[in-house]
Amino acid sequence: MTLDFTYQASAARIVFGNGASGDVGKWVEALDCRRALVLSTPHQAADAEALSKRLGPLSVGIFTTDGQGCFRYKTVRPGGYAVPSDGPVGQMLGGLGFAMRRPAHLHFLIKAAGFETISTHVYDGSDPHLGQDALFGVKDELIGEFKPTGKGDASTLDFTFTMVRAKKGRGTP
Ligand SMILES: [Fe+2]
């Protein structure tokens, strides 16, 4: 039996050119995004600030790493969620008895000039469904510990990403 399906990956858009940053707002809207987050290293902070101002209300804000390459932000604590099971892959996995859910996690996409890009998740080590990820993405080195701060329901997660130098001809420009 042949199952028909369509898979659409998340698309990346790279626009390169003199003055191209002036069109970032146009691209944000063309992609049907409501807002964009500007990421920066300390030595590009002025450029990031200028871009954020140029974006105006389209800019969520700016993340700039500190001198050690660290950044901090606040967000809601992630929860696990069910994944669609109505497609052929969902039917196959469900038929094999796999749970059609993902344990709690945060997504990260980290880029730095001269380094390989990191696209990964960090999973909440306290999620009881950690061993049942429908996408088989949980690895020991990607499990983090959300530590209560003692202030309300706030928690902190400290996690270190290790970047490797890009191979010649690769890496984020
Ligand atoms: Fe997710």
Side-chain angles (χ1 to χ4, degrees):
M1 179 174 85
T2 302
L3 296 175
D4 298 326
F5 68 95
T6 301
Y7 171 74
Q8 182 171 343
S10 297
R13 182 178 309 262
I14 299 171
V15 179
F16 184 81
N18 191 15
S21 65
D23 293 331
V24 172
K26 180 178 76 179
W27 289 113
V28 170
E29 291 173 337
L31 292 168
D32 279 337
C33 296
R34 290 184 301 160
R35 301 175 81 187
L37 175 66
V38 179
L39 302 178
S40 174
T41 57
H43 72 277
Q44 297 170 321
D47 291 336
E49 185 67 33
L51 177 58
S52 182
K53 282 184 180 169
R54 195 176 317 129
L55 287 171
L58 287 175
S59 174
V60 172
I62 303 168
F63 276 0
T64 302
T65 64
D66 63 19
Q68 285 72 48
C70 298
F71 66 89
R72 294 158 187 82
Y73 70 99
K74 291 182 180 179
T75 183
V76 295
R77 184 170 178 166
Y81 55 85
V83 296
S85 59
D86 56 344
V89 175
Q91 292 172 5
M92 180 185 74
L93 291 175
L96 292 171
F98 287 96
M100 296 306 296
R101 60 174 298 110
R102 304 224 52 214
H105 59 273
L106 295 170
H107 291 254
F108 290 90
L109 177 63
I110 304 169
K111 298 179 178 186
F115 291 86
E116 296 286 337
T117 296
I118 296 174
S119 175
T120 191
H121 303 61
V122 174
Y123 295 88
D124 181 348
S126 68
D127 190 310
H129 302 288
L130 207 54
Q132 302 169 351
D133 183 15
L135 299 186
F136 308 104
V138 179
K139 310 239 180 315
D140 287 345
E141 60 270 25
L142 297 178
I143 297 173
E145 181 183 358
F146 288 78
K147 297 178 182 170
T149 62
K151 299 176 185 169
D153 61 353
S155 300
T156 61
L157 169 69
D158 292 325
F159 203 87
T160 300
F161 297 94
T162 304
M163 302 192 80
V164 297
R165 295 265 178 211
K167 294 178 182 145
K168 194 167 187 155
R170 292 179 42 134
T172 306

